[in-house]
Amino acid sequence: MHELSIAMAVVEQVQEAAAEHGHVAASSVSLRLGELAGVVPQALRFSFELAAAGTVLEGARLCIEQVPGRARCASCDTEWATGVPPSLWCPKCRGSAADLVSGRELHIAEVRWTVRTDPR
C-alpha cells in the first residue's frame, strides 16, 4: 500500500512547514490528485489518519481534488479526456503520439493552519 508512504510524506512536509513558520496545528490539508497517479483516494484518506496521529495534522481534514486525465495529440493538437484506463489514441485523427496534459498530479495545494488564540 504505497498510499501510506504518500501520506507519511505529506505529513512530514506539513510538519516541516509548521516548524518553519511557527504553527502548532493544521485544520486541513488539500491535495491535487490526478486520476492517473495510481493512488486510491479512500486508501490515502485512511493512511492519512494513521500518519497524522500525534502530529500537527492530527484531526485535520484531508481534502482531495481529483484532476482528470487529459491528453493532447502531437499530430493534430486535439485534446481529450483520457478516462481510466487511459485512452491515448486521438479521437480525431486516431494518431497514437499523445502527450499527457494532466492527470498525474500529486501535490499539496493548500494547508489551513489553526489560529492560536491567546487565553489571556
Side-chain angles (χ1 to χ4, degrees):
M1 173 192 275
H2 68 283
E3 285 82 359
L4 182 56
S5 62
I6 292 168
M8 290 171 65
V10 167
V11 169
E12 183 178 323
Q13 289 179 23
V14 173
Q15 291 243 103
E16 288 173 6
E20 185 177 325
H21 299 286
H23 297 292
V24 295
S27 59
S28 68
V29 62
S30 299
L31 301 179
R32 288 183 43 88
L33 177 62
E35 71 177 344
L36 304 175
V39 177
V40 178
Q42 296 84 350
L44 183 56
R45 281 190 176 88
F46 175 78
S47 297
F48 177 79
E49 284 186 41
L50 295 175
T55 72
V56 297
L57 282 167
E58 183 165 16
R61 187 169 49 109
L62 178 63
C63 306
I64 298 175
E65 176 192 349
Q66 287 270 190
V67 179
R70 297 202 53 83
R72 181 178 296 117
C73 179
S75 300
C76 72
D77 211 33
T78 297
E79 192 173 304
W80 69 94
T82 61
V84 177
S87 171
L88 299 177
W89 293 95
C90 177
K92 184 175 180 185
C93 74
R94 304 305 298 159
S96 63
D99 296 316
L100 283 176
V101 176
S102 67
R104 294 177 40 193
E105 295 83 353
L106 176 53
H107 65 268
I108 299 169
E110 179 183 41
V111 177
R112 292 191 180 241
W113 302 107
T114 302
V115 177
R116 194 175 6 182
T117 56
D118 199 347
R120 289 189 264 174

